[in-house]
């Protein structure tokens, strides 16, 4: 489940064991995918067979999803009026649509999570603490985006795009790449236009 974080980046706050975290990280890294579309447009995005999805819609995401063994995704926006608070994503390792009972269950869960977030802002922290996975917190990504913005002299959205591009190009998880930036082992001082490689790893 991903929640909106400052209008710049979604943050995964809870996931089940398996490929869920890696799947969300891929979408966050490449900046595309069913969950991001559900969040951006506040609509249910159901993809019962990712192998048959239009490659022009998610050209970078689809091969990565298949590599993770994900064959179908169903992304339910957590809507409050015209505002989307986040996305509840269900996935499966075999293609096929959800049956009516599964769809109803997913809609109930999405509504319950939305209601919990509305009633108590502390629920975000509770969701984050439900599993002991520190990789669910993308604070380092936000910090790294700010650092790159200063180093390269670019706006935050462009800095985030540079971070994503480097993670994707080097096949390193976005969070791990961000942690390198925060630790000052990865620098973007000479990468102002976002096309050249970072200035290098430095101790």
């Amino acid at each position: 489940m991903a929640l909106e974080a400052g209008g710049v980046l979604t943050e995964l706050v809870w996931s089940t064991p398996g490929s869920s975290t890696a799947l969300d990280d891929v979408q966050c890294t490449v900046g595309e995918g069913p969950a991001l579309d559900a969040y951006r447009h506040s609509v249910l995005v159901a993809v019962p067979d990712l192998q048959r999805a239009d490659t022009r819609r998610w050209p970078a995401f689809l091969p990565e999803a298949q590599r993770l063994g994900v064959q179908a995704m169903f992304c339910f926006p957590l809507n409050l009026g015209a505002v989307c608070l986040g996305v509840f994503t269900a996935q499966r390792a075999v293609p096929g649509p959800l049956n009516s009972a599964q769809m109803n269950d997913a809609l109930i869960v999405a509504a319950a999570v939305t209601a919990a977030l509305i009633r108590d802002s502390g629920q975000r922290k509770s969701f984050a603490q439900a599993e002991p996975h520190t990789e669910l917190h993308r604070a380092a990504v936000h910090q790294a985006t700010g650092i790159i913005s200063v180093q390269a002299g670019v706006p935050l959205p462009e800095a985030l795009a540079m971070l994503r591009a480097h993670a994707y190009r080097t096949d390193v998880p976005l969070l791990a790449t961000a942690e390198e930036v925060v630790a000052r082992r990865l620098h973007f001082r000479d990468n102002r236009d976002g096309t050249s490689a970072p200035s290098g790893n430095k101790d």
Side-chain angles (χ1 to χ4, degrees):
M1 181 179 65
L3 297 180
E4 182 271 339
V8 177
L9 183 73
T10 57
E11 180 175 2
L12 181 66
V13 296
W14 181 81
S15 71
T16 55
S19 60
S20 297
T21 299
L23 184 68
D24 188 78
D25 190 69
V26 165
Q27 292 185 95
C28 186
T29 299
V30 301
E32 64 181 43
L36 292 184
D37 279 6
Y39 171 69
R40 289 166 177 159
H41 304 295
S42 299
V43 296
L44 167 64
V45 177
V47 191
D49 190 345
L50 285 171
Q51 290 191 7
R52 295 189 177 185
D54 187 350
T55 56
R56 295 171 297 180
R57 186 175 184 181
W58 304 304
F61 168 74
L62 289 174
E64 296 299 318
Q66 292 174 16
R67 181 176 63 84
L68 291 171
V70 177
Q71 296 295 324
M73 290 179 64
F74 308 89
C75 305
F76 300 82
L78 308 180
N79 289 333
L80 176 61
V83 178
C84 183
L85 304 177
V87 176
F88 166 65
T89 297
Q91 61 170 339
R92 61 194 317 173
V94 294
L98 297 178
N99 60 39
S100 58
Q102 292 169 332
M103 180 65 74
N104 286 337
D105 287 344
L107 290 170
I108 290 171
V109 171
V113 171
T114 303
L117 292 173
I118 295 171
R119 287 197 305 269
D120 181 6
S121 60
Q123 286 293 333
R124 178 189 291 246
K125 183 177 181 180
S126 297
F127 284 126
Q129 293 176 340
E131 296 288 341
H133 302 304
T134 57
E135 66 265 26
L136 298 187
H137 305 280
R138 292 203 176 108
V141 176
H142 295 280
Q143 293 174 329
T145 299
I147 291 171
I148 294 171
S149 177
V150 173
Q151 289 180 345
V154 299
L156 289 173
E158 185 175 346
L160 177 58
M162 291 164 59
L163 179 66
R164 282 171 162 160
H166 182 77
Y168 184 69
R169 183 172 60 250
T170 58
D171 196 26
V172 175
L174 183 65
L175 180 58
T177 302
E179 289 172 344
E180 289 294 293
V181 174
V182 173
R184 302 301 196 273
R185 291 189 292 266
L186 180 61
H187 303 263
F188 286 75
R189 294 191 183 93
D190 301 322
N191 193 13
R192 299 178 185 278
D193 61 2
T195 57
S196 62
S199 57
N201 295 333
K202 300 180 180 180
D203 296 328

